[in-house]
Amino acid sequence: MDESNIEDLLFELLGKANEMYGDAVEKIWFYDGEICPFCNKRKIDALKMGEESALSLNAYMYHEMNTLIGYFLCSRCIPELLGSTVQQKSNYEKLEQNLKNAYHDHLKLSAS
């Protein structure tokens, strides 16, 4: 997938977020790290779907900062997060905390 396709998908995602959250979205930030923000171990990669490959484009609304955070996941974490397990709530809490930490790190770097 080339960069222009990713940008198109981001704009589509942002449009949907705007419909959901409206004026609550004051800032938009995209987690652009190479390492998956859930496991913090593996590189972000495409998920195989038959003969096709797909990236898992997601967004998290960080309400305390009125910031919509976009992110990709690695192919091993996608099933773990989307599956219906007893741990799903704690998995999402972990992912959200990792994204918040990454966003705060970004803000610190931007301020210096």
Side-chain angles (χ1 to χ4, degrees):
M1 179 172 286
D2 66 29
E3 200 167 304
S4 65
N5 287 348
I6 292 172
E7 282 184 16
D8 291 343
L9 290 172
L10 283 173
F11 284 119
E12 184 179 334
L13 178 67
L14 296 175
K16 288 181 182 183
N18 189 43
E19 289 173 16
M20 288 177 64
Y21 299 111
D23 293 339
V25 178
E26 294 177 4
K27 294 172 251 152
I28 297 164
W29 179 68
F30 191 80
Y31 171 83
D32 62 356
E34 290 184 21
I35 303 299
C36 175
F38 176 59
C39 66
N40 279 326
K41 293 188 256 184
R42 293 178 288 276
K43 285 189 172 193
I44 293 169
D45 61 344
L47 178 69
K48 290 288 185 188
M49 300 176 69
E51 292 186 26
E52 300 288 322
S53 295
L55 289 172
S56 177
L57 175 61
N58 307 278
Y60 162 64
M61 183 63 195
Y62 185 6
H63 291 282
E64 292 86 358
M65 300 287 284
N66 294 339
T67 302
L68 182 69
I69 301 174
Y71 61 95
F72 291 116
L73 296 169
C74 74
S75 61
R76 291 194 41 204
C77 287
I78 297 165
E80 188 173 342
L81 279 166
L82 296 180
S84 57
T85 66
V86 179
Q87 297 173 307
Q88 191 172 26
K89 183 178 178 184
S90 64
N91 286 346
Y92 274 100
E93 288 171 353
K94 174 185 169 186
L95 172 61
E96 290 168 3
Q97 189 59 54
N98 289 347
L99 289 167
K100 288 177 187 180
N101 292 343
Y103 183 63
H104 285 272
D105 290 345
H106 163 76
L107 292 175
K108 288 176 192 172
L109 286 173
S110 297
S112 54

